[in-house]
Amino acid sequence: MSFLQVTKLLETSLICSPWFALATLSPVTLHSWLCQSFLKKLVFQNTGLENTGLKNTGLENTGPENISPENIGYTHHRQQNSGTIQGFFITLTVMIAGLFFALIALNTSAIGAITLLCAAFCLLGGMVFKPTIARKITIVDVLVLAFFVSVGVSTAFSSFEKTSLMGLAKFLLFFSGYLTFRVVTHGNTNRLVLLTAAIAVTGFIESAIGFYQYFAHVQPLATWSDPKIAAELKMTRIYGSIQPLNPNLLAGYLAPCAAAAFALFLLCLESIKRLWAKILLALISGLGCLGILMAIILTGSRGGFIALAGLLAGAFAYVGHLLWHSPQRQQLRWGKAVWLLTLLSCLTSVALAIGGSEKIRARALSIFAMRQDSSISYRLNVYDSALRIIQDNPLLGIGPGNDTFKQVYGLYMTPGFNALGAYSVPLEIAVEQGLVGVLLFASLLIVLLFRVFIVLDAHVLSLAKQLLMGGLLVGVIGCIAYGLFDTIWYRPAVNLVFWFMVAGLSWLTEPSFHKTRFQEKAGQEETVKGC
């Protein structure tokens, strides 16, 4: 089934149509709402745009059908020194790349300080160039903002103000990171590719460190080892250098890194013209991606195994669609052979890694042990307690933060089974932010997925952008798949990479509406009035 058929089903489905309507919401409509809201003066104050409608934004006197991707977001004034603005974005890009490298080398406090420094520099640039920048938002941005606002509302109504405020501060850090990523990646594919490459390189580094730990037989740092497992079946679990040192955290971080390396591999095959350079760079990125996948297996993280399955399924489904349904498939006739070869290679490598090692096989099969495995049994007890917390605090939750969770969990816990979190991202969101937070986060993921479907249906992006979009989407899938049964998603190393990929998708999935959905509804929509 092609994505054209999928989008038609989504549009007519009674269940999916509300999210599909959100996914196709026009940025022109969002701009109109903003102009009519109380935020008008806050956003447009001192910009020179208050009484000029869409003047100087590149959207004046244009219908929805004339909007281009370059006109959405941060549009530069013709009279502004473009060299100064370019220098600002280059500096911000370097700072964010440094942040990604800091994720694997520094502790949480240092990462937070660097994130705030990047955000402060971004804010300063926004203030300096404010008269020359027209702010345009996507529905993804609105949903991200709503999700983080729900954290603030949960904090305001929490019975544990002090601990919830600490949790709120952590979420504000993540939100500032998202905003910074949106600014630096919006409208510029090169910056998005460079930062994606930075994430892939950090994954290569962590994989190399992990391989050293494995072959050197370093002392494992797994915090839980099932006493029922025979000593000869206990594997050496690599843990990398990410603080705090933990195999599960490493696996959760490597999942989006593998997707970033996968995106680079595809871009090398498609974009590089010189044959020798194409082969060399594709070989490096391809081997790097395979190395990251192998490192995930060596972490012995069962959540990592689930993420690995999500990564492989998402990657091959996405590329397979492009090869068999994309208009550019004539350019990719060679790609079908590569796709089949890569699929067989990955499946063979994973099968050899799991089937060839009794330790890894025992670890993978223990996923299905349920109550027979002490670690899984422990988590099932935590899930049961978390569900009872949700029943008593269904709407807004108990408030964000591990300390808040610990204080409340003690009232519901099974004796002898203490916990720092719910060990499941959906459950943790429901506990901390209530069903409102769960609905907003689920809506964000659903809208992102629908927008990808629509972009592929519309055929308005270049092949290179479609491949990059696929890599980012696979990274999000990997993070969510891992987060189903663990909460390392809340660690800065994983969370910031996740929001970077969401920020990239927010821009890459926007152009399709400007050229397709807008054209279909151009006769029905009213002309957007100026602020």
Side-chain angles (χ1 to χ4, degrees), residues 93 96 100 181-200 260 263-264 267 464-465 467-472 497 499-509:
T93 302
I96 294 176
F100 289 149
F181 302 148
R182 279 286 286 122
V183 170
V184 77
T185 60
H186 194 101
N188 192 296
T189 307
N190 291 334
R191 290 196 293 265
L192 185 56
V193 172
L194 286 174
L195 292 175
T196 302
I199 293 174
L264 289 183
L267 287 172
K465 288 184 178 179
L467 295 175
L468 179 58
M469 181 177 67
L472 297 178
V497 172
W499 289 118
F500 168 79
M501 293 187 166
V502 172
L505 288 173
S506 177
W507 170 62
L508 285 175
T509 57

Side-chain angles (χ1 to χ4, degrees), residues 292-316:
I292 295 174
L293 296 177
M294 293 300 296
I296 293 176
I297 294 176
L298 294 180
T299 63
S301 169
R302 290 173 288 201
F305 296 159
I306 295 173
L308 182 62
L311 289 171
L312 293 177
F316 286 109

